[in-house]
Amino acid sequence: MSIVLEVSDRDRAPNQTIEGWLTRTHPEVLERAVAARAAGRLLDLTAPLPAAGGLEIVEFSDEQGREVYDHSTSHLMAQAVTSLLPNAKLAIGPAIAEGFYYDFDSVETFTPERLEEIEATMRELIGRDLPIERVEMPRAQAIEMYRDANQPYKVELLEEIPDGTVSLYRQGDFVDLCRGPHLPRTGRIGAFKLLSVAGAYWRGDEKRPMLQRIYGIAFPTQGQLDEFLRLREQAALRDHRRLGRELDLYSVPEELGGGLVLWHPKGALVRYLIEEFWRREHLKRGYQLVFTPHIARARLWEISGHLSFYKDSMYGPLTIEDEEYRIKPMNCPFHVLIYKSRLRSYRDLPIRYCELGTVYRYERSGVLHGLLRVRGFTQDDAHIICTPEQIGEEVKQALEFTLFMMNAFGYQDFEVDLSVRGEADHAKYMGTDDEWGIAERSLTEALESRGVAYKRAPGEAVFYGPKIDIKLRDSMRRVWQGPTIQFDFNLTSRFNMEYVGADGARHTPLMVHRALLGSIERFMGGLVEHYGGAFPTWLAPVQAMVVPITDRQHDYAQQVKRRLEEEGLRAEADLRNESMRLKIREAQLQKIPYMLVVGDREQASETVAVRARAGGDQGAQALDQFIEAVKAEVASRGQA
Ligand SMILES: [Zn+2]
Ligand SMILES: [Zn+2]
C-alpha cells in the first residue's frame, strides 16, 4: 500500500521542495521515500512541491521506486568509473528487471580486482553524501559540453533528442544526461554489489563498437542484499541449462540453429513420463486424443486470421505444387477442422480434443534462452467445444484438472489473473455481449466455487475472449507463466462452427483453448529448476543405482537390476572398476533417488542396503520389500 499525503496551500513555504516539505510535515516518511508522484508524474524529492492535492510517496518496495534506486546506483558507479579511469567513455546505464547496468567504452578491461576498486570508490562517494541535483540546459549547450569532454556516445544520444531543453543530473563533479528522477543524495544508497561484466554492442548493433557492461544491484539494507545473493547463488546452481548438461537431459546446440531442442535419452524419458501421465489423465476426463500435421496451406491461416495478426511469428512460406504452405504456429485451426468434418448435434457436445502438438514460432535470437524461450516447442493443447448450457461445468472441470496437474508436479502456490474486457471499449472485441457475459460468468464461478483467490484485470483480455491465467511460484519463490483457460469467439465465427440444437436450428458453439503445461520445453526447464534436478521418484530417469562393494557381487548386482526392471522400475548397476565411495558420490551427483549397496551379506540374504537421496542410510531391506515401497511411491507420485 503506498502512502498518499495531502498537500494544502496552508502548509506550503516559499520555494519549498518535496524533501523540505516532508522534513517539516512528515519526517517519518522521508527516510523511506525514494521519489514522489503527483498528477501521474514521477518526481525527484528535490523537485518543487507540487500544487495542492495528493502527493504519493514512492518507496523502494514500489517497482518504480526500486528502479529509481537502482538507477541512482548506476550513476554512482559511472561516477566511480570516471574518477578512476578519466578516459572511459560513457554510454547508457538503465535500471533493469533485476538491478542495473552501465555500458563503458574503455581500453582497460574490467577485471574482478578493478570491480572491487570501483566498489570501494562508490562507498567513498556514498560516505561523502553528495547532493544529486537536476540541471536543465539547452540541448546545444549539452552537446557542446559532451563534445569538449570527449563523450561521443552522449553526443550521439543528445543529437537524437527532439526537445530544445534537456535534463542532466549532477553529483559532485560528475554529470550525466538523464531524464531522472533520482535519489536526493548519494548517502541514501544503502547496500550494493557489482555482479558481473559482459560485452555489449553499442545500441545492440554488431557493426558498432563493443562496450563493457557492468551489472550491479542495490538494496536499502545489507540483509536484503545478502538474501538476494543467496537466492542468486542457489538459482545459478539450479539453472536448467547447467543441470541439463550435468544430468545429460537435453541440449540446444548452435549447429542445430537457435532455439531448437535435442532431447537426450534421460530427458526424453522424463518427457515421455510427463506426456504419458498427461494423456492418461486426459482420457480419464473424457478428452479425445488427436494428431495433426506440422504444415498447412496458407489459405487455412488466412481463414483463421493468423496470416493477418500473427504473420511475424510464422515461418514460411514453402511451396508445394505451386501452392503456398506455412509451418504451424498453433494447433487450433486443425482441431476446428476435425470438429467440422461432420455435422454436430447438441447430443455430441461437449467435445474435448487434446494434442501434444509441436509448433514453431519466430523469436529473435537475442531473447532465446535455454528451454524457456525456443523456436520449436510442443504445446499441451486442448480445445473444449460445447453449448452455452454446458460451459459452466466445463470450465469448472478444466480448472479442477489444472490444479490437479500442477499439484502433481509439486506446484502449490499460484497467482491467478482473470482477464476481462475493459469497461468502455467493447467495439474492439470479437463476440457478442451475451457470449462475453456467459464466458466471464463461467470463469468467475469456477474460480469462486474452488475458492481460488484471483485478480480481476479489466482491459487485459485478448480481443477474442476472456481468460484465466495461472502463474506458478516455484521452490525459489520465482514466478512462472503457467496454465491458461482462454475463450475464443474469433475462430468459432471465422470457421463458421455450428451444431444443431435441441430446437433443430443451427447454433454457434462456445470454444475454450486450454493449456496445462504451456509448452513441454518451458515446463521441463521450469521443473528442472523447481526440483533442482532431483526429480521425484516417479519422474526420475534412473530410480535406483545398484552398487556392488567388490566384483564378487557383480552377478548379484545384475540380478537385482533385472528384478527391478521386471517390476517396471528403472535401474542401473555400476560395475566399473572404481571405488564404492566414488560410485555413490556420482550417483548422488546424478540425483538418483536410491542407491542399493550390495556386499556378501546382502547377496547371501537377498537384501539390499538402501541409501536414499533424501534421508540417507536406510539400512538393509529385503529386495521385495524395497520394490513394493518404491512402486507405492511411484503410484502416489510421492504424495501419499
Ligand atoms: Zn540517470
Ligand atoms: Zn487453441
Side-chain angles (χ1 to χ4, degrees), residues 104-106 153 198-202 205 208-212:
F104 302 96
D105 189 348
S106 165
Y153 301 105
Y201 289 107
W202 169 236
D205 181 349
R208 308 295 305 271
M210 168 73 93
L211 309 174
Q212 295 184 72

Side-chain angles (χ1 to χ4, degrees), residues 416-426 428-429 436 440 443-444 454-463 465-469:
V416 182
D417 286 340
L418 170 65
S419 302
V420 298
R421 281 190 299 187
E423 293 301 320
D425 49 356
H426 289 181
K428 70 176 196 194
Y429 297 97
W436 279 84
E440 281 191 38
L443 293 172
T444 312
Y454 64 95
K455 199 173 85 225
R456 192 168 183 277
E460 289 298 305
V462 280
F463 72 92
K467 63 174 172 172
I468 296 174
D469 270 320

Side-chain angles (χ1 to χ4, degrees), residues 71-72 74-75 93-94 102 154 168-169 176-182:
H71 182 61
S72 297
S74 105
H75 276 222
Y102 211 113
K154 295 293 180 192
L168 299 101
Y169 279 76
D176 201 354
L177 172 68
C178 184
R179 267 196 301 268
H182 277 284

Side-chain angles (χ1 to χ4, degrees), residues 83-340:
S83 87
L84 291 166
L85 302 167
N87 292 326
K89 293 178 182 50
L90 305 172
I92 53 164
I96 51 178
E98 219 166 51
F100 62 86
Y101 68 78
Y102 211 113
D103 287 346
F104 302 96
D105 189 348
S106 165
V107 286
E108 197 198 334
T109 311
F110 292 117
T111 59
E113 294 72 29
R114 191 47 119 173
L115 289 190
E116 277 176 28
E117 245 181 287
I118 297 169
E119 285 181 338
T121 308
M122 289 168 73
R123 269 189 281 277
E124 205 180 292
L125 293 166
I126 289 175
R128 284 169 57 195
D129 199 18
L130 301 165
I132 303 174
E133 298 161 305
R134 182 183 173 93
V135 185
E136 298 198 348
M137 66 170 74
R139 189 176 70 117
Q141 188 187 336
I143 290 176
E144 201 167 318
M145 184 186 84
Y146 275 121
R147 259 208 196 105
D148 290 346
N150 193 19
Q151 291 289 352
Y153 301 105
K154 295 293 180 192
V155 172
E156 185 177 330
L157 292 171
L158 275 163
E159 280 171 342
E160 285 167 15
I161 297 176
D163 316 344
T165 304
V166 296
S167 64
L168 299 101
Y169 279 76
R170 184 195 307 281
Q171 51 200 65
D173 52 9
F174 174 78
V175 60
D176 201 354
L177 172 68
C178 184
R179 267 196 301 268
H182 277 284
L183 290 169
R185 285 183 317 281
T186 57
R188 284 292 311 275
I189 295 169
F192 68 88
K193 175 112 188 102
L194 304 187
L195 300 168
S196 59
V197 182
Y201 289 107
W202 169 236
R203 311 208 119 165
D205 181 349
E206 63 238 45
K207 292 183 203 77
R208 308 295 305 271
M210 168 73 93
L211 309 174
Q212 295 184 72
R213 173 170 298 176
I214 304 181
Y215 288 96
I217 197 158
F219 292 95
T221 69
Q222 186 65 38
Q224 286 166 300
L225 176 62
D226 290 344
E227 176 65 6
F228 167 83
L229 293 173
R230 192 184 65 77
L231 285 175
R232 182 171 181 263
E233 201 175 312
Q234 212 185 74
L237 289 174
R238 286 178 172 228
D239 188 307
H240 75 281
R241 292 166 299 179
R242 172 188 177 143
L243 284 171
R245 197 168 48 243
E246 286 174 6
L247 303 177
D248 197 13
L249 299 171
Y250 42 73
S251 58
V252 191
E254 275 291 307
E255 307 90 292
L256 183 58
L260 300 168
V261 180
L262 295 179
W263 293 79
H264 298 202
K266 283 181 180 153
L269 184 62
V270 178
R271 173 175 172 158
Y272 162 81
L273 293 165
I274 294 172
E275 292 188 354
E276 277 312 289
F277 173 63
W278 185 95
R279 288 198 181 94
R280 215 169 46 236
E281 294 300 327
H282 275 78
L283 293 175
K284 272 192 209 168
R285 289 169 175 78
Y287 285 78
Q288 296 169 293
L289 287 170
V290 297
F291 290 97
T292 64
H294 290 236
I295 60 171
R297 297 164 67 183
R299 178 80 192 112
L300 183 74
W301 304 111
E302 268 163 32
I303 297 171
S304 70
H306 288 95
L307 271 181
S308 53
F309 64 78
Y310 207 70
K311 192 174 183 180
D312 291 345
S313 298
M314 293 171 70
Y315 296 109
L318 42 116
T319 308
I320 301 172
E321 291 181 347
D322 295 331
E323 172 122 31
E324 201 178 287
Y325 281 69
R326 291 280 182 158
I327 300 169
K328 74 168 164 183
M330 294 187 190
N331 306 301
C332 328
F334 299 77
H335 292 194
V336 171
L337 291 186
I338 297 173
Y339 178 84
K340 280 174 62 82

Side-chain angles (χ1 to χ4, degrees), residues 330-333 335 379 381-383 464 486 488 491 511-514:
M330 294 187 190
N331 306 301
C332 328
H335 292 194
Q379 281 188 306
D381 216 349
H383 294 94
Y464 51 82
Q486 163 81 63
D488 193 327
L491 289 185
M511 181 163 85
V512 172
H513 310 260
R514 192 241 52 198

Side-chain angles (χ1 to χ4, degrees), residues 2 32-45 56-73 94-100 179-183 188 218 220:
S2 61
R32 294 155 57 189
V34 165
R37 195 183 288 118
R41 280 189 56 208
L42 207 54
L43 300 166
D44 288 306
L45 293 176
E56 191 186 337
I57 300 304
V58 178
E59 299 179 72
F60 179 80
S61 55
D62 188 317
E63 179 56 21
Q64 281 189 304
R66 201 271 307 155
E67 282 177 14
V68 169
Y69 203 90
D70 273 320
H71 182 61
S72 297
T73 314
I96 51 178
E98 219 166 51
F100 62 86
R179 267 196 301 268
H182 277 284
L183 290 169
R188 284 292 311 275

